[in-house]
Amino acid sequence: MDLPFDRPSPVTRRWRVTGWLLAGVWLFFLNIPLFTAVHQAQPWRRAVGVGTLVVFGVLYVLIFQWARALRQAHRPIPVGRARASVGLLLALGLAGIPGTAGDWLTTLVFVAAAAVFLLPPVDALVVVVLSALTPPVAAALVPGWEAESTVVFAVLLASFAMFGVSRLAQRNSELRAAQAEIRRLAVAEERARTARDLHDILGHSLTVVAVKAELAGRLLELDPARAGTEIADVERLARQALADVRRTVGAYRETSLSGELAGARTALVAAGIVGDLPDDLPALPAAREELFGWVVREGVTNVVRHSGARRCVIRVHPDRVEIADDGRGPAGGHDVAGPEPGGAAGDGGHGLLGLRERSRRLDGTVTVGRRPDGTGFLLRVTVPVERR
């Protein structure tokens, strides 16, 4: 019979040794038939008894390890091979009768335990019942064999114990699978968070760089000195974006509202948009200030990139931040009262998706749409004041 004894999943050396010991320690109970076989008067009976018991013990351990490896790899045990394995163990026990006489019945304990570990519940129950009935039936039919009540008890006890072991092994396997899935989801979530942060950082910085580079190109012949200033700003912004990316990868980046407002002022001026920004900021908790900083970054990026606006107004309150412009407004024409429509015009919703996820951490809500007068675009993020 072809048994795949390779391990589908890596395990530690200590765990492998533990598995072999767990399977082999029960072979101690083969000492009774082995003692009978060793003391046979005829050499051929002695050889048959000892040989079949040795092969029986080795095969039992190998079958146990094979099934255990499949369980650890979360793979089903092939029913056909499992039945063949149990049948082969029974055949070896029967083959040893010339050397072990009635003590061969001890092998039924191992056959029943293997059936519980390998076979489906119905098949295993049939094997256990037959193994428990065999000793009294054999004692009644074969002269000289005594009724082995201890074997019957051992069969039932071993089957019950193996049932508990197999259920425990199954639960442990499911737990390891769940833990692996949790780790995978955590990695995926961290990658998604990093991707959102990089999108927010580079989307804003590269938009400003593109606007300033375009402005410098127009001024190159008209006002070379001004063009040089814009090019210097492009270099500074590029270096700042690179530093932001490095801090993001290193998980050390922080976003401040005041810093984002300063960057927004520079971006709006470079784009030729009049900016109406607050001079004084209310005292905000650190988490809310960071969130509002991201809102300013994302909102101004969309104004510069998509709006076609001439004026942008930013207002910061203790419980909310608002960014409004007089541009073309959202593509879908959503009213500001409709919370969280599909996304900013031309942005595909990626930046707003990041804002919504950050806002949910503070029980906040994101609303986008037209301004109350029905024109332009408005981005508003509101956070309950009660949250500290």
Side-chain angles (χ1 to χ4, degrees), residues 13 35 38 52 83 115 205 280 320 364:
R13 182 175 181 274
F35 180 84
V38 169
T52 54
R83 289 172 177 169
S205 300
D280 298 323
R320 68 187 185 279

Side-chain angles (χ1 to χ4, degrees), residues 282-301:
L284 300 172
R288 193 181 307 167
E289 180 180 358
E290 181 180 4
L291 171 62
F292 287 1
W294 281 111
V295 175
V296 171
R297 176 186 286 254
E298 177 62 26
V300 172
T301 298

Side-chain angles (χ1 to χ4, degrees), residues 335-377:
D335 185 77
V336 71
E340 304 187 20
D347 185 51
H350 298 294
L352 290 178
L353 175 62
L355 287 184
R356 289 181 182 124
E357 294 186 355
R358 290 189 178 92
S359 299
R360 279 196 290 268
R361 299 171 191 167
L362 301 181
D363 296 335
T365 58
V366 178
T367 306
V368 297
R370 295 192 181 278
R371 298 188 303 176
D373 61 4
T375 63
F377 185 86

